[in-house]
């Protein structure tokens, strides 16, 4: 297990640090203090050829120019908040609208655009970095002085573990995630069409044209959203299901069944033989198939394109503050928020 730190760039005259974490099985994970953002994961394929399996860049400035949240820590609230409005204990709040008539991913210049304090650590069989951020009361319209930390770690079981903690001095909303885009082929000329996805979920959240949840949970049976058995993601790109056609693929939350002790999600790529299993303490995973990527977004000198990557954004259901049964995302003083998401890499 190794961890080392290198200069990755400069932002507002401050150094951007990138940490490289490696284990003894050929896995390499890179993460930077700008946005507590994952910049790379490399794993071996079935021929033991190692390649990057996420959309990322070795050029810091690419992250200043893109707005696709590649590998970023998202917060205070992942996903859309309808009309940017919510109320807590009878007090109404209005957030800045950065996505049409709604607020998305915590609002403009949120966690993903901020410099986090970084603290590398090494414990038996694990190396990692804890990123800390102070989000002041009123930041992007959210109440409460919020102290957040997100710890990235890599271990010898080929697990990338994310641990989130937060405390607040006023009731606020908190629902973070990581916006990693996987492409397990290791070839960023290839789309994810033939990736196979399994989700431990019998219901997905219907969305409106603007991407906000309608509040209705739809049974996946007999739809292109049924991933209860492994299925190719391409079917959502060719489907005439209105929810697929709305977004040209997937951009949907899946309510996790949370029964049995298997992973909540498994993504496989048959040619390379790579797979990643995801387990989370959250009640949902948002699957976004990179529908909005285009050649205008260039990462590491390569233009992106629709369906070049697929996210598994573990989080509480989006817009939960407005929908009964979606889960509680109110964080109150005296309570420590904790959540964990584990991505374990291996071969099929
Ligand atoms: C689009 O609707 C999608 C979001 O789900 C995604 O997170 C973002 O692009 C990167 O807004």
């Amino acid at each position: 297990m190794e961890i080392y730190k290198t200069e990755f760039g400069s932002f507002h005259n401050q150094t951007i640090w990138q940490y490289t974490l490696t284990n003894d099985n050929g896995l390499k994970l890179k993460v930077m203090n700008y946005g507590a953002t994952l910049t790379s994961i490399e794993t071996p394929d079935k021929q033991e050829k190692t390649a990057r399996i996420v959309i990322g860049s070795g050029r810091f400035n690419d992250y200043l120019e893109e707005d696709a949240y590649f590998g970023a820590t998202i917060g205070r609230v992942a996903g859309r908040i309808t009309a940017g409005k919510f109320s807590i204990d009878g007090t109404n709040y209005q957030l800045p609208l950065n996505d049409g008539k709604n607020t998305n991913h915590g609002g403009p210049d949120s966690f993903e655009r901020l410099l986090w304090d970084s603290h590398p650590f090494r414990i038996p069989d694990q190396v990692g970095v804890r990123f800390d951020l102070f989000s002041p009361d009123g930041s992007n319209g959210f109440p409460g002085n919020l102290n957040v930390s997100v710890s990235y770690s890599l271990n010898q079981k080929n697990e990338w573990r994310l641990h989130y903690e937060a405390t607040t001095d006023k009731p606020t909303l908190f629902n973070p995630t990581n916006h990693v885009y996987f492409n397990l082929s290791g070839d960023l000329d290839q789309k994810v069409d033939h990736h196979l996805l399994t989700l431990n979920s019998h219901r997905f959240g219907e969305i409106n044209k603007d991407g906000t949840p309608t509040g209705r949970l739809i049974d996946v049976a007999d739809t292109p959203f049924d991933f209860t058995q492994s299925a190719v993601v391409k079917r959502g790109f060719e489907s005439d299901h209105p929810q697929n056609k709305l977004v040209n693929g997937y951009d949907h939350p899946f309510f996790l069944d949370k029964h049995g002790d298997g992973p909540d999600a498994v993504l496989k790529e048959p040619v390379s033989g790579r797979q990643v299993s995801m387990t989370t303490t959250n009640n949902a995973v948002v699957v976004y198939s990179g529908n909005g990527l285009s050649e205008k977004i260039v990462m590491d000198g390569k233009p992106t394109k629709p369906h070049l990557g697929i996210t598994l954004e573990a989080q509480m259901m989006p817009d939960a503050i407005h929908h009964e049964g979606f889960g509680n995302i109110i964080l109150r003083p005296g309570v420590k928020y904790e959540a964990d998401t584990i991505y374990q890499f291996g071969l099929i």
Side-chain angles (χ1 to χ4, degrees):
M1 305 295 308
E2 291 299 327
I3 181 169
Y4 61 89
K5 164 182 174 180
T6 49
E7 281 198 35
F8 192 51
S10 173
F11 178 68
H12 294 174
N13 298 320
Q14 295 195 66
T15 302
I16 304 300
W17 297 108
Q18 178 171 261
Y19 293 85
T20 300
L21 288 61
T22 58
N23 74 4
D24 299 345
N25 308 319
L27 267 72
K28 182 179 286 186
L29 182 151
K30 295 182 180 178
V31 58
M32 65 171 166
N33 61 334
Y34 178 77
T37 297
L38 177 90
T39 55
S40 180
I41 294 181
E42 296 173 31
T43 73
D45 67 6
K46 62 187 177 188
Q47 269 85 34
E48 296 187 12
K49 178 171 165 287
T50 297
R52 182 164 68 198
I53 59 162
V54 296
I55 302 180
S57 179
R59 305 173 188 182
F60 171 64
N61 285 347
D62 287 351
Y63 290 93
L64 297 179
E65 286 150 27
E66 58 89 358
D67 62 356
Y69 301 90
F70 294 118
T73 294
I74 306 290
R76 292 192 189 187
V77 176
R80 290 170 173 85
I81 294 177
T82 299
K85 293 179 189 301
F86 63 92
S87 68
I88 300 178
D89 302 339
T91 303
N92 297 324
Y93 298 94
Q94 175 65 61
L95 306 177
L97 307 179
N98 65 325
D99 186 89
K101 297 192 173 118
N102 306 299
T103 299
N104 195 23
H105 291 339
D109 299 334
S110 194
F111 284 13
E112 80 285 353
R113 299 274 179 201
L114 298 175
L115 271 188
W116 294 57
D117 293 332
S118 55
H119 309 277
F121 63 85
R122 182 192 292 274
I123 52 182
D125 264 0
Q126 216 176 107
V127 287
V129 188
R130 191 189 81 245
F131 294 97
D132 294 338
L133 180 75
F134 173 66
S135 175
D137 182 24
S139 168
N140 263 359
F142 289 99
N145 289 302
L146 188 77
N147 284 289
V148 200
S149 76
V150 53
S151 296
Y152 281 67
S153 64
L154 178 66
N155 64 27
Q156 299 289 30
K157 293 187 289 185
N158 299 339
E159 293 174 336
W160 163 32
R161 300 177 77 99
L162 284 168
H163 176 71
Y164 299 86
E165 294 187 1
T167 56
T168 181
D169 62 2
K170 282 184 198 168
T172 192
L173 300 186
F174 191 60
N175 181 21
T177 192
N178 184 282
H179 207 290
V180 56
Y181 291 71
F182 290 108
N183 184 324
L184 302 180
S185 71
D187 170 5
L188 286 179
D189 286 323
Q190 277 189 46
K191 295 189 170 191
V192 294
D193 293 33
H194 300 294
H195 280 49
L196 292 155
L197 180 63
T198 309
L199 293 174
N200 184 356
S201 168
H202 279 80
R203 294 175 296 168
F204 74 96
E206 182 184 53
I207 60 173
N208 294 304
K209 266 174 76 172
D210 65 0
T212 56
T214 65
R216 183 171 163 238
L217 293 176
I218 300 177
D219 193 307
V220 301
D222 307 319
T223 77
F225 293 81
D226 186 351
F227 290 104
T228 52
Q229 303 297 319
S230 184
V232 284
V233 299
K234 184 180 179 192
R235 61 181 191 169
F237 306 160
E238 300 166 340
S239 142
D240 57 8
H241 190 291
Q243 285 286 305
N244 290 128
K245 287 174 78 78
L246 196 58
V247 295
N248 178 29
Y250 298 97
D251 191 4
H252 293 81
F254 287 79
F255 211 103
L256 295 169
D257 292 348
K258 293 294 177 187
H259 57 58
D261 52 9
D264 294 307
V266 181
L267 185 67
K268 299 179 179 181
E269 197 284 308
V271 174
S272 66
R274 292 190 182 94
Q275 76 168 33
V276 56
S277 302
M278 186 203 78
T279 306
T280 181
T281 54
N282 288 289
N283 70 4
V285 59
V286 169
V287 177
Y288 171 56
S289 48
N291 318 315
L293 299 181
S294 76
E295 67 286 341
K296 292 193 200 97
I297 303 174
V298 178
M299 293 296 279
D300 236 4
K302 281 177 94 80
T304 66
K305 53 193 171 186
H307 306 154
L308 186 63
I310 187 165
T311 72
L312 295 175
E313 299 161 64
Q315 61 178 85
M316 298 302 275
M317 284 291 284
D319 211 22
I321 191 65
H322 291 133
H323 300 290
E324 197 64 40
F326 273 29
N328 171 46
I329 62 165
I330 296 176
L331 179 62
R332 295 184 178 279
V335 173
K336 180 164 84 165
Y337 170 94
E338 289 193 275
D340 292 283
T341 298
I342 300 166
Y343 297 96
Q344 184 171 36
F345 302 93
L347 296 175
I348 299 169

